[in-house]
Amino acid sequence: MNANPLLQFDALPDFAAITPAHVSPAIDHLLHEADAALERAVGPDVAADYDALSAVLDVATERLGRAWGTVSHLHSVADAPELRAAFNENLPKVTAFHTKQGADERLFAKYKAVAASPSSAQLPGPRKKALANALRDFVLSGAELQGASKERFAAIQERSAELSQKFSEHVLDATDGFVHYASSEQLQGVPADVQQATRAAALAEGRDGHKLTLHQPVYQPLMQYATDRVLRARLYKAYVTRASELGPAEQDNTPLMRELIALRQEAAQLLGHATYADVSLVPKMARTPAEVNTFLQDLAQRAKPFAERDMQALREFAASDLGLPVVEAWDIAFVSEKLKEARYDFSDLDVKRYFTEPKVLAGLFDIVQTIFEVQITPDTAPVWHDSVRFYRVERDGQLLSQFYLDA
């Protein structure tokens, strides 16, 4: 256990050293610690005091959160079959713990005792707000439910986490699964760097032509610049139908969405709310779904005339200058770029050569350093890919923060 990088909390996560084999042992160990901390927190040895509860429970849950957050991050940016399997194996266990903690009546009672004690009036404003939020979250987590309702709510939380994960996996797999090999003639108008990258990708597989995918560095410039309308239509339709009933059945998210909607509605009713939208708004500024809908409808009415004017300009330009009597969804980015070039003599490609990544980063950092009176300098840390960079932010030689930059 001492050698498990997910259990090292005295430095930044050692992303380079973490393997799928580390995940289950570390999460099981931290869940055991968090369970023990929860039992201690609700016991007689820990007073109903803000600091006492935090000292016992927050340390254990923060350690679990950091380790699981690290695993989740790697799962998002460096997905691989072994890592996905490890993530999916532990997701139900982590979800079950947080569901149990959030609905624990004993812990809820202690927090209510903290709020009712005279000392709570002396808490600083931020702590008062954190305490109020904690009480609110207990209610939203089902702490007031009893018996079968409580058990059903916990089951819904676990199933919802599983479905959400599957939803994301289906979108990722559908995106990764699409490949189209196009000829050089089909890529007329596409920026040279994109043509070079797609050609290199095809050559790496021993294929002719250019390897096209639905990843943004390829998809976005093709939709914006490719003169081949059939190619644009093919890529657009593939992109907007990812993980749908129009693709492989094993990646279809339709049944997942239906089940998620039904589970959310059931959970909302268990909590005493009419809809999931009502539950979602409890911690937010808007008070009711009707209030949100009124705002959105008002915004739509105000924006619609301008959107219609812009769309009409696109249609007129497409018909008169590009020979397109009908503008389809896969034409909008392309026609918009051509209209911008014709009307304003402006092209993103012309501007792009003046905004290389080093210049953009230098300019961005200079603005941040000037406004906040800080210094941003390169730093070193274990990373999940060779392309990832790491920086430190200081003021007068004192470290304020650090951040990763993933290109």
Side-chain angles (χ1 to χ4, degrees):
M1 277 297 180
N2 291 334
N4 192 320
L6 285 169
L7 296 177
Q8 309 304 315
F9 300 103
D10 55 348
L12 292 164
D14 192 351
F15 287 109
I18 297 169
T19 69
H22 291 129
V23 176
S24 289
I27 297 303
D28 286 342
H29 176 78
L30 293 170
L31 283 170
H32 177 76
E33 286 189 343
D35 273 321
L38 175 58
E39 291 305 313
R40 184 182 170 201
V42 300
D45 295 336
V46 177
D49 174 79
Y50 188 99
D51 290 327
L53 282 168
S54 294
V56 172
L57 195 55
D58 289 355
V59 173
T61 54
E62 283 296 325
R63 284 161 61 93
L64 173 63
R66 169 171 158 163
W68 185 241
T70 300
V71 174
S72 300
H73 175 74
L74 287 174
H75 174 56
S76 298
V77 300
D79 184 48
E82 297 82 2
L83 183 59
R84 179 181 290 190
F87 181 88
N88 287 333
E89 178 185 344
N90 288 277
L91 177 62
K93 295 184 287 187
V94 175
T95 302
F97 170 77
H98 287 298
T99 300
K100 179 179 71 173
Q101 180 188 0
D104 193 297
E105 296 176 38
R106 303 164 301 169
L107 187 61
F108 186 28
K110 275 221 166 161
Y111 270 94
K112 286 192 288 188
V114 172
S117 67
S119 60
S120 68
Q122 308 304 318
L123 289 174
R127 287 194 173 189
K128 285 183 180 179
K129 178 61 175 173
L131 179 58
N133 288 350
L135 294 172
R136 175 202 68 200
D137 292 342
F138 272 112
V139 175
L140 293 178
S141 297
E144 293 183 329
L145 298 177
Q146 300 292 328
S149 294
K150 195 180 194 95
E151 293 178 5
R152 177 55 184 161
F153 187 84
I156 289 173
Q157 299 306 105
E158 184 173 341
R159 179 58 177 164
S160 295
E162 178 187 349
L163 291 172
S164 297
Q165 173 59 19
K166 284 297 180 185
F167 183 99
S168 299
E169 287 180 0
H170 289 173
V171 174
L172 177 61
D173 290 344
T175 303
D176 291 342
F178 176 87
V179 175
H180 176 68
Y181 295 91
S183 66
S184 298
E185 291 73 19
Q186 289 178 295
L187 294 191
Q188 290 183 17
V190 176
D193 60 333
V194 178
Q195 294 197 39
Q196 292 167 3
T198 54
R199 177 64 185 135
L203 286 173
E205 298 179 354
R207 298 290 299 260
D208 294 330
H210 299 255
K211 180 182 178 180
L212 308 185
T213 70
L214 298 180
H215 296 288
Q216 285 303 311
V218 174
Y219 176 77
Q220 190 275 331
L222 280 166
M223 297 305 299
Q224 190 172 358
Y225 296 106
T227 58
D228 191 319
R229 194 184 190 202
V230 174
L231 179 63
R232 294 200 310 270
R234 178 167 190 167
L235 290 172
Y236 176 84
K237 291 176 182 178
Y239 189 85
V240 299
T241 59
R242 290 171 299 159
S244 74
E245 71 278 9
L246 299 180
E250 64 273 14
Q251 294 174 355
D252 183 7
N253 273 336
T254 305
L256 273 64
M257 288 188 287
R258 287 174 176 156
E259 186 176 354
L260 270 170
I261 290 171
L263 289 174
R264 288 179 173 182
Q265 178 64 19
E266 184 182 356
Q269 291 178 336
L270 286 172
L271 293 175
H273 293 275
T275 68
Y276 180 78
D278 291 281
V279 176
S280 177
L281 291 177
V282 171
K284 299 172 183 174
M285 291 179 65
R287 290 164 293 186
T288 65
E291 188 175 299
V292 175
N293 285 331
T294 299
F295 170 79
L296 292 176
Q297 289 166 1
D298 178 67
L299 181 63
Q301 287 182 337
R302 295 172 187 271
K304 186 177 180 180
F306 300 96
E308 290 177 333
R309 183 191 64 189
D310 291 345
M311 193 63 204
Q312 184 59 30
L314 283 182
R315 292 192 181 102
E316 292 174 357
F317 175 80
S320 62
D321 290 56
L322 302 179
L324 292 178
V326 178
V327 175
E328 301 286 0
W330 49 85
D331 298 319
I332 291 177
F334 176 76
V335 176
S336 297
E337 179 65 23
K338 293 300 181 184
L339 176 60
K340 185 168 57 178
E341 293 175 9
R343 182 171 293 179
Y344 304 110
D345 193 23
F346 176 88
S347 170
D348 287 343
L349 290 179
D350 292 336
V351 176
K352 183 178 178 181
R353 58 194 176 102
Y354 297 104
F355 288 90
T356 60
E357 184 186 272
K359 288 184 178 180
V360 171
L361 284 180
L364 175 63
F365 288 177
D366 184 57
I367 293 172
V368 172
Q369 291 175 132
T370 301
I371 293 176
F372 297 103
E373 298 181 340
V374 297
Q375 298 79 46
I376 302 175
T377 56
D379 204 349
T380 57
V383 294
W384 54 92
H385 191 272
D386 292 341
S387 64
V388 179
R389 285 162 286 175
F390 187 67
Y391 295 87
R392 63 193 291 115
V393 182
E394 297 178 326
R395 179 181 290 131
D396 299 327
Q398 180 179 359
L399 179 65
L400 299 179
S401 65
Q402 296 165 298
F403 65 92
Y404 301 90
L405 185 64
D406 188 352

